[in-house]
Coordinates of all heavy atoms in Angstrom, one line a residue:
M3 N 270.3 26.4 58.4 CA 270.8 27.7 58.9 C 272.1 28.0 58.2 O 272.9 27.1 58.0 CB 270.9 27.7 60.4 CG 269.6 27.6 61.2 SD 268.7 29.1 60.9 CE 269.7 30.3 61.9
P4 N 272.3 29.2 57.9 CA 273.6 29.6 57.3 C 274.7 29.4 58.4 O 274.5 29.5 59.6 CB 273.5 31.1 56.9 CG 272.4 31.6 57.8 CD 271.5 30.4 58.1
S5 N 275.9 29.3 57.8 CA 277.1 29.2 58.7 C 277.3 30.5 59.4 O 277.2 31.5 58.9 CB 278.3 28.8 57.9 OG 279.5 28.9 58.7
T6 N 277.6 30.4 60.7 CA 277.9 31.6 61.5 C 279.3 31.5 62.0 O 279.6 32.0 63.1 CB 276.9 31.8 62.6 OG1 276.8 30.6 63.4 CG2 275.5 32.2 62.1
A7 N 280.1 30.8 61.3 CA 281.5 30.6 61.7 C 282.2 31.9 61.9 O 281.9 32.9 61.1 CB 282.3 29.7 60.7
R8 N 283.0 32.0 62.9 CA 283.8 33.2 63.1 C 285.2 33.0 62.4 O 285.6 31.9 62.1 CB 284.0 33.5 64.6 CG 282.6 33.7 65.2 CD 282.8 34.3 66.6 NE 283.5 35.5 66.6 CZ 283.9 36.2 67.7 NH1 283.6 35.7 68.8 NH2 284.5 37.4 67.5
Y9 N 285.9 34.1 62.3 CA 287.2 34.1 61.6 C 288.2 34.8 62.4 O 287.9 35.6 63.3 CB 287.1 34.7 60.2 CG 286.0 34.1 59.3 CD1 284.8 34.8 59.1 CD2 286.2 32.9 58.7 CE1 283.8 34.2 58.4 CE2 285.2 32.3 57.9 CZ 284.0 33.0 57.8 OH 283.0 32.4 57.0
R10 N 289.4 34.5 62.0 CA 290.6 35.2 62.6 C 291.6 35.4 61.6 O 291.9 34.5 60.8 CB 291.2 34.4 63.8 CG 292.4 35.0 64.4 CD 292.9 34.2 65.5 NE 293.2 32.8 65.1 CZ 293.8 31.9 65.9 NH1 294.1 32.2 67.1 NH2 294.0 30.7 65.4
C11 N 292.2 36.6 61.6 CA 293.3 36.9 60.7 C 294.6 36.6 61.5 O 294.9 37.2 62.5 CB 293.3 38.4 60.2 SG 294.8 38.8 59.2
T12 N 295.3 35.6 61.0 CA 296.5 35.3 61.7 C 297.7 36.2 61.4 O 298.7 36.2 62.1 CB 297.0 33.8 61.3 OG1 297.2 33.7 59.9 CG2 295.9 32.8 61.8
S13 N 297.5 37.1 60.4 CA 298.5 38.1 60.1 C 298.5 39.3 61.1 O 299.6 39.7 61.5 CB 298.3 38.7 58.7 OG 298.4 37.6 57.8
C14 N 297.3 39.7 61.5 CA 297.3 40.9 62.4 C 296.5 40.6 63.7 O 296.4 41.4 64.6 CB 296.7 42.1 61.7 SG 294.9 42.0 61.4
G15 N 295.8 39.4 63.8 CA 295.1 39.1 65.0 C 293.7 39.6 65.0 O 292.9 39.4 66.0
N16 N 293.2 40.2 63.9 CA 291.9 40.7 63.8 C 290.8 39.6 64.0 O 290.9 38.5 63.4 CB 291.7 41.4 62.4 CG 290.3 41.7 62.0 OD1 289.5 42.0 62.9 ND2 290.0 41.6 60.8
L17 N 289.8 39.9 64.8 CA 288.8 38.9 65.0 C 287.4 39.4 64.6 O 286.4 38.7 64.7 CB 288.7 38.5 66.5 CG 289.8 37.7 67.1 CD1 289.7 37.7 68.7 CD2 289.7 36.3 66.6
T18 N 287.4 40.7 64.3 CA 286.0 41.4 64.2 C 285.7 42.0 62.9 O 284.5 42.4 62.7 CB 285.9 42.5 65.3 OG1 287.0 43.4 65.1 CG2 286.0 41.8 66.7
R19 N 286.7 42.2 62.0 CA 286.4 42.9 60.8 C 286.8 42.2 59.5 O 288.0 42.0 59.3 CB 287.1 44.3 60.8 CG 286.8 45.1 62.0 CD 285.7 46.1 61.7 NE 285.6 47.2 62.7 CZ 285.0 47.1 63.8 NH1 284.3 46.0 64.1 NH2 285.0 48.1 64.7
F20 N 285.8 41.7 58.7 CA 286.2 40.9 57.5 C 285.3 41.3 56.4 O 284.1 41.7 56.6 CB 286.0 39.4 57.8 CG 286.9 38.9 58.9 CD1 286.4 38.9 60.2 CD2 288.2 38.6 58.7 CE1 287.2 38.4 61.3 CE2 289.0 38.2 59.7 CZ 288.5 38.1 61.0
D21 N 285.8 41.2 55.2 CA 285.0 41.4 54.0 C 284.7 39.9 53.5 O 285.6 39.2 53.1 CB 285.8 42.1 52.9 CG 285.9 43.6 53.2 OD1 284.9 44.2 53.7 OD2 287.0 44.2 53.0
V22 N 283.4 39.6 53.6 CA 283.0 38.2 53.3 C 282.3 38.3 51.9 O 281.3 39.0 51.8 CB 282.1 37.6 54.4 CG1 281.7 36.2 54.0 CG2 282.9 37.6 55.7
T23 N 282.7 37.5 51.0 CA 282.0 37.4 49.7 C 281.3 36.1 49.7 O 282.0 35.0 49.9 CB 283.0 37.5 48.5 OG1 283.8 38.7 48.6 CG2 282.3 37.4 47.2
S24 N 280.0 36.1 49.5 CA 279.3 34.8 49.5 C 278.2 34.9 48.5 O 277.7 35.9 48.0 CB 278.7 34.6 50.9 OG 277.7 35.6 51.2
T25 N 277.7 33.7 48.1 CA 276.6 33.5 47.2 C 275.5 32.9 48.0 O 275.7 31.8 48.7 CB 277.0 32.6 46.0 OG1 278.0 33.2 45.3 CG2 275.8 32.4 45.1
R26 N 274.3 33.5 48.0 CA 273.2 32.9 48.7 C 272.0 32.6 47.8 O 271.7 33.4 46.9 CB 272.7 33.9 49.8 CG 273.5 34.0 51.0 CD 272.9 35.0 52.0 NE 273.5 34.9 53.3 CZ 272.9 35.4 54.4 NH1 271.8 36.1 54.3 NH2 273.5 35.3 55.5
R27 N 271.3 31.6 48.1 CA 270.0 31.3 47.5 C 269.0 31.4 48.5 O 269.1 30.7 49.6 CB 270.1 29.9 46.8 CG 269.0 29.7 45.8 CD 269.4 28.5 44.9 NE 269.4 27.3 45.7 CZ 268.3 26.5 45.8 NH1 267.2 26.8 45.2 NH2 268.4 25.4 46.5
T28 N 268.0 32.3 48.3 CA 267.0 32.5 49.4 C 265.6 32.4 48.9 O 265.4 32.6 47.7 CB 267.2 33.9 50.0 OG1 267.0 34.9 49.1 CG2 268.6 34.1 50.6
R29 N 264.7 32.2 49.8 CA 263.3 32.2 49.5 C 262.7 33.1 50.5 O 263.0 33.1 51.7 CB 262.8 30.8 49.7 CG 261.3 30.6 49.6 CD 260.9 29.2 50.1 NE 259.5 29.1 50.1 CZ 258.7 28.6 49.1 NH1 259.3 28.2 48.0 NH2 257.4 28.5 49.3
A30 N 261.9 34.0 50.1 CA 261.3 35.0 51.0 C 259.8 35.3 50.6 O 259.4 35.2 49.4 CB 262.1 36.3 51.0
Y31 N 259.1 35.7 51.5 CA 257.7 36.1 51.4 C 257.7 37.6 51.0 O 258.1 38.5 51.9 CB 257.0 35.8 52.6 CG 255.6 36.4 52.8 CD1 254.7 36.4 51.7 CD2 255.1 36.9 54.0 CE1 253.4 36.9 51.8 CE2 253.8 37.4 54.1 CZ 253.0 37.4 53.0 OH 251.7 37.9 53.2
H32 N 257.3 38.0 49.8 CA 257.3 39.4 49.4 C 255.8 39.8 49.6 O 254.9 39.4 48.9 CB 257.7 39.5 47.9 CG 259.2 39.5 47.8 ND1 259.9 40.2 46.8 CD2 260.1 38.9 48.5 CE1 261.1 39.9 46.9 NE2 261.4 39.2 47.9
H33 N 255.7 40.7 50.5 CA 254.3 41.2 50.9 C 254.1 42.6 50.4 O 254.8 43.5 50.9 CB 254.2 41.1 52.4 CG 252.9 41.5 53.0 ND1 252.7 41.6 54.3 CD2 251.7 41.8 52.3 CE1 251.4 42.1 54.5 NE2 250.8 42.2 53.3
F34 N 253.3 42.8 49.4 CA 253.1 44.1 48.8 C 251.8 44.7 49.4 O 250.8 43.9 49.6 CB 252.9 44.0 47.3 CG 254.1 43.6 46.6 CD1 254.4 42.3 46.4 CD2 255.0 44.6 46.1 CE1 255.5 41.9 45.7 CE2 256.1 44.2 45.4 CZ 256.4 42.8 45.2
T35 N 251.8 45.9 49.7 CA 250.6 46.6 50.0 C 249.8 46.9 48.7 O 250.4 46.9 47.6 CB 250.8 47.9 50.8 OG1 251.4 48.9 49.9 CG2 251.7 47.7 52.0
V36 N 248.6 47.3 48.8 CA 247.9 47.7 47.6 C 248.5 48.9 47.0 O 248.3 49.1 45.8 CB 246.4 47.9 47.9 CG1 245.7 46.6 48.2 CG2 246.2 49.0 49.0
G37 N 249.3 49.7 47.7 CA 249.9 50.8 47.2 C 251.3 50.5 46.5 O 251.9 51.3 45.9
G38 N 251.6 49.2 46.6 CA 252.9 48.8 45.9 C 254.1 48.8 46.8 O 255.2 48.5 46.3
E39 N 253.9 49.1 48.1 CA 255.1 49.1 49.0 C 255.4 47.6 49.3 O 254.6 46.8 49.7 CB 254.7 49.8 50.3 CG 254.5 51.3 50.1 CD 255.8 52.1 50.2 OE1 256.7 51.6 50.9 OE2 255.8 53.1 49.6
L40 N 256.7 47.3 49.2 CA 257.1 45.9 49.4 C 257.7 45.8 50.8 O 258.6 46.6 51.2 CB 258.2 45.6 48.3 CG 258.9 44.2 48.6 CD1 257.9 43.0 48.5 CD2 260.0 44.0 47.6
S41 N 257.3 44.7 51.4 CA 257.9 44.3 52.7 C 258.3 42.8 52.5 O 257.5 42.0 52.2 CB 256.8 44.4 53.8 OG 257.3 43.8 55.0
V42 N 259.6 42.6 52.7 CA 260.1 41.2 52.6 C 260.1 40.6 54.0 O 260.7 41.1 54.9 CB 261.6 41.2 52.0 CG1 262.1 39.8 51.9 CG2 261.5 41.9 50.6
E43 N 259.5 39.5 54.0 CA 259.3 38.8 55.3 C 259.7 37.3 55.2 O 259.7 36.8 54.1 CB 257.9 38.9 55.8 CG 257.4 40.3 56.0 CD 255.9 40.4 56.2 OE1 255.3 39.3 56.6 OE2 255.3 41.4 56.0
D44 N 260.1 36.7 56.3 CA 260.3 35.3 56.4 C 261.4 34.8 55.4 O 261.2 33.8 54.7 CB 259.0 34.5 56.2 CG 258.0 34.7 57.3 OD1 258.4 35.1 58.4 OD2 256.8 34.5 57.0
E45 N 262.5 35.6 55.3 CA 263.5 35.2 54.4 C 264.2 34.0 54.9 O 264.7 33.9 56.1 CB 264.5 36.3 54.1 CG 265.5 35.9 53.1 CD 266.4 37.1 52.7 OE1 266.2 38.2 53.3 OE2 267.2 37.0 51.8
Q46 N 264.4 33.0 54.1 CA 265.1 31.7 54.5 C 266.3 31.6 53.6 O 266.2 31.7 52.4 CB 264.2 30.5 54.3 CG 263.0 30.4 55.1 CD 262.1 29.2 54.8 OE1 261.5 29.2 53.7 NE2 262.2 28.2 55.6
V47 N 267.4 31.3 54.2 CA 268.6 31.0 53.4 C 268.6 29.5 53.0 O 268.7 28.6 53.9 CB 269.9 31.3 54.1 CG1 271.1 31.0 53.3 CG2 269.9 32.8 54.5
L48 N 268.4 29.2 51.8 CA 268.3 27.8 51.3 C 269.7 27.2 51.1 O 270.0 26.1 51.3 CB 267.6 27.7 50.0 CG 266.1 28.2 50.1 CD1 265.5 28.1 48.7 CD2 265.3 27.5 51.1
D49 N 270.6 28.1 50.7 CA 272.0 27.7 50.4 C 272.9 28.9 50.5 O 272.5 30.0 50.1 CB 272.0 27.1 49.0 CG 273.3 26.3 48.8 OD1 273.9 25.8 49.8 OD2 273.7 26.1 47.6
E50 N 274.1 28.7 51.1 CA 275.0 29.8 51.2 C 276.4 29.2 51.0 O 276.8 28.2 51.6 CB 274.9 30.5 52.5 CG 275.9 31.6 52.7 CD 275.8 32.3 54.0 OE1 275.6 31.7 55.0 OE2 275.9 33.6 54.0
A51 N 277.1 29.8 50.1 CA 278.5 29.4 49.8 C 279.4 30.6 50.0 O 279.3 31.7 49.4 CB 278.6 29.0 48.3
I52 N 280.4 30.4 50.9 CA 281.3 31.5 51.2 C 282.4 31.4 50.2 O 283.1 30.4 50.0 CB 281.9 31.3 52.6 CG1 280.9 31.3 53.7 CG2 282.9 32.5 52.9 CD1 280.0 32.5 53.8
E53 N 282.6 32.5 49.4 CA 283.6 32.4 48.3 C 284.9 32.9 48.8 O 286.0 32.3 48.5 CB 283.1 33.3 47.2 CG 281.9 32.7 46.5 CD 281.3 33.7 45.4 OE1 282.1 34.5 44.9 OE2 280.1 33.5 45.1
S54 N 284.9 34.0 49.6 CA 286.2 34.4 50.1 C 286.0 35.2 51.4 O 285.0 35.8 51.6 CB 287.0 35.2 49.1 OG 286.4 36.5 48.9
V55 N 287.0 35.2 52.3 CA 287.0 36.0 53.5 C 288.3 36.8 53.5 O 289.4 36.1 53.5 CB 286.8 35.2 54.7 CG1 286.7 36.1 56.0 CG2 285.5 34.3 54.6
E56 N 288.3 38.1 53.5 CA 289.5 38.9 53.6 C 289.5 39.7 54.9 O 288.4 40.3 55.2 CB 289.6 39.8 52.4 CG 290.0 39.1 51.1 CD 290.3 40.1 50.0 OE1 290.2 41.3 50.2 OE2 290.6 39.6 48.9
C57 N 290.6 39.8 55.5 CA 290.8 40.7 56.6 C 290.5 42.1 56.2 O 291.0 42.5 55.1 CB 292.2 40.5 57.2 SG 292.5 41.7 58.5
R58 N 289.7 42.9 57.0 CA 289.5 44.3 56.6 C 290.7 45.1 56.6 O 290.8 46.1 55.8 CB 288.5 44.8 57.6 CG 287.9 46.2 57.3 CD 286.9 46.2 56.1 NE 286.5 47.5 55.8 CZ 285.8 47.8 54.7 NH1 285.5 46.9 53.8 NH2 285.4 49.0 54.4
W59 N 291.7 44.8 57.4 CA 292.9 45.6 57.5 C 294.0 45.1 56.6 O 294.7 45.9 56.0 CB 293.4 45.6 59.0 CG 292.3 45.8 60.0 CD1 292.1 45.1 61.1 CD2 291.4 46.9 60.0 NE1 291.0 45.6 61.8 CE2 290.6 46.7 61.2 CE3 291.1 48.0 59.2 CZ2 289.5 47.6 61.5 CZ3 290.0 48.8 59.5 CH2 289.3 48.6 60.7
C60 N 294.1 43.8 56.4 CA 295.2 43.3 55.6 C 294.8 43.1 54.1 O 295.7 43.0 53.3 CB 295.7 42.0 56.2 SG 296.3 42.0 57.9
G61 N 293.5 43.0 53.9 CA 293.1 42.7 52.5 C 293.6 41.3 52.1 O 293.7 40.4 52.9
A62 N 293.9 41.2 50.8 CA 294.3 39.9 50.2 C 295.6 39.4 50.8 O 295.9 38.2 50.7 CB 294.4 40.0 48.7
A63 N 296.3 40.3 51.5 CA 297.6 39.9 52.0 C 297.5 39.2 53.3 O 298.4 38.5 53.8 CB 298.5 41.1 52.2
G64 N 296.3 39.3 54.0 CA 296.1 38.7 55.3 C 295.8 37.2 55.1 O 295.3 36.8 54.1
H65 N 296.1 36.5 56.2 CA 295.8 35.0 56.2 C 294.6 34.8 57.2 O 294.8 34.9 58.4 CB 297.0 34.2 56.5 CG 296.6 32.7 56.5 ND1 296.5 32.0 55.3 CD2 296.4 31.8 57.5 CE1 296.2 30.8 55.6 NE2 296.1 30.6 56.9
V66 N 293.4 34.6 56.6 CA 292.3 34.4 57.5 C 291.9 32.9 57.6 O 291.9 32.2 56.6 CB 291.1 35.2 56.9 CG1 289.8 34.9 57.7 CG2 291.4 36.7 56.8
E67 N 291.7 32.5 58.8 CA 291.3 31.1 59.0 C 290.0 31.0 59.9 O 289.8 31.9 60.7 CB 292.4 30.2 59.5 CG 292.9 30.7 60.9 CD 294.1 29.8 61.3 OE1 294.9 29.4 60.4 OE2 294.2 29.6 62.5
P68 N 289.2 30.0 59.7 CA 288.0 29.9 60.6 C 288.5 29.7 62.0 O 289.5 29.1 62.3 CB 287.4 28.6 60.1 CG 287.9 28.3 58.7 CD 289.3 28.9 58.7
L69 N 287.7 30.3 62.9 CA 288.0 30.3 64.3 C 287.4 29.1 65.0 O 286.2 28.9 64.9 CB 287.5 31.6 64.9 CG 288.0 31.9 66.3 CD1 289.5 32.1 66.4 CD2 287.3 33.2 66.8
D70 N 288.2 28.4 65.7 CA 287.7 27.3 66.4 C 286.8 27.8 67.6 O 287.2 28.6 68.3 CB 288.8 26.5 67.0 CG 288.4 25.2 67.7 OD1 287.2 25.2 68.2 OD2 289.1 24.2 67.7
E71 N 285.5 27.3 67.6 CA 284.6 27.9 68.6 C 285.1 27.7 70.1 O 284.6 28.3 71.0 CB 283.2 27.3 68.4 CG 282.6 27.9 67.2 CD 281.1 27.5 67.1 OE1 280.6 27.0 68.1 OE2 280.5 27.7 66.0
S72 N 286.0 26.7 70.2 CA 286.4 26.4 71.6 C 287.5 27.5 72.1 O 287.8 27.5 73.2 CB 287.1 25.0 71.7 OG 288.3 25.0 70.9
V73 N 287.9 28.3 71.1 CA 288.9 29.3 71.5 C 288.2 30.4 72.2 O 287.2 30.9 71.9 CB 289.6 29.8 70.2 CG1 290.5 31.0 70.6 CG2 290.4 28.7 69.6
D74 N 288.9 30.9 73.2 CA 288.3 32.1 74.0 C 288.4 33.3 73.2 O 289.5 33.7 72.8 CB 289.1 32.2 75.3 CG 288.6 33.4 76.1 OD1 287.6 34.0 75.8 OD2 289.3 33.7 77.2
T75 N 287.3 34.0 72.9 CA 287.2 35.2 72.1 C 286.9 36.4 72.9 O 286.4 37.4 72.3 CB 286.3 35.0 70.9 OG1 285.0 34.7 71.4 CG2 286.7 33.8 70.0
A76 N 287.0 36.3 74.2 CA 286.6 37.4 75.0 C 287.4 38.7 74.8 O 287.0 39.8 75.3 CB 286.7 37.0 76.5
T77 N 288.5 38.6 74.0 CA 289.3 39.8 73.8 C 288.9 40.6 72.6 O 289.6 41.5 72.2 CB 290.8 39.4 73.7 OG1 290.9 38.5 72.7 CG2 291.3 38.8 75.0
E78 N 287.8 40.3 72.0 CA 287.4 41.0 70.8 C 287.2 42.5 71.0 O 286.8 42.8 72.1 CB 286.2 40.4 70.1 CG 284.9 40.7 70.8 CD 283.7 40.1 70.1 OE1 283.2 40.8 69.2 OE2 283.3 39.0 70.4
G79 N 287.4 43.3 70.0 CA 287.2 44.7 70.2 C 287.4 45.3 68.9 O 287.6 46.4 68.5
Ligands
LIG111 ZN1 294.7 41.1 59.2

């Protein structure tokens, strides 16, 4: 399963808006109809590498760190 880690910008306190750049390698079932319509099903993430995470508000100036899951995040908004 891909990482679902949450993040926090320690510069502005943002918990909810990030620009995440990642590289994924996936395998999926491409199901075509006879008419050529494609439906992608059963996509599996084989590998995912997070390249960068930037705060949506601070951009490159923000300092984003992974959020410890034990931290109370009930104040998100
Ligand atoms: Zn920020």
Side-chain angles (χ1 to χ4, degrees):
M3 290 294 290
S5 169
T6 53
R8 298 191 59 184
Y9 304 103
R10 175 178 56 175
C11 175
T12 58
S13 299
C14 72
N16 168 33
L17 289 168
T18 57
R19 304 266 197 271
F20 301 94
D21 287 319
V22 179
T23 303
S24 65
T25 301
R26 282 183 167 192
R27 196 160 67 90
T28 63
R29 174 188 173 95
Y31 170 41
H32 283 209
H33 180 187
F34 295 87
T35 68
V36 289
E39 295 274 331
L40 171 62
S41 172
V42 178
E43 300 170 17
D44 295 337
E45 185 170 5
Q46 294 177 288
V47 178
L48 303 177
D49 194 23
E50 180 177 39
I52 305 296
E53 294 175 21
S54 71
V55 183
E56 286 187 1
C57 173
R58 188 72 183 167
W59 312 130
C60 301
H65 180 73
V66 177
E67 61 183 32
L69 188 64
D70 186 330
E71 287 188 15
S72 68
V73 172
D74 181 6
T75 57
T77 56
E78 75 176 273

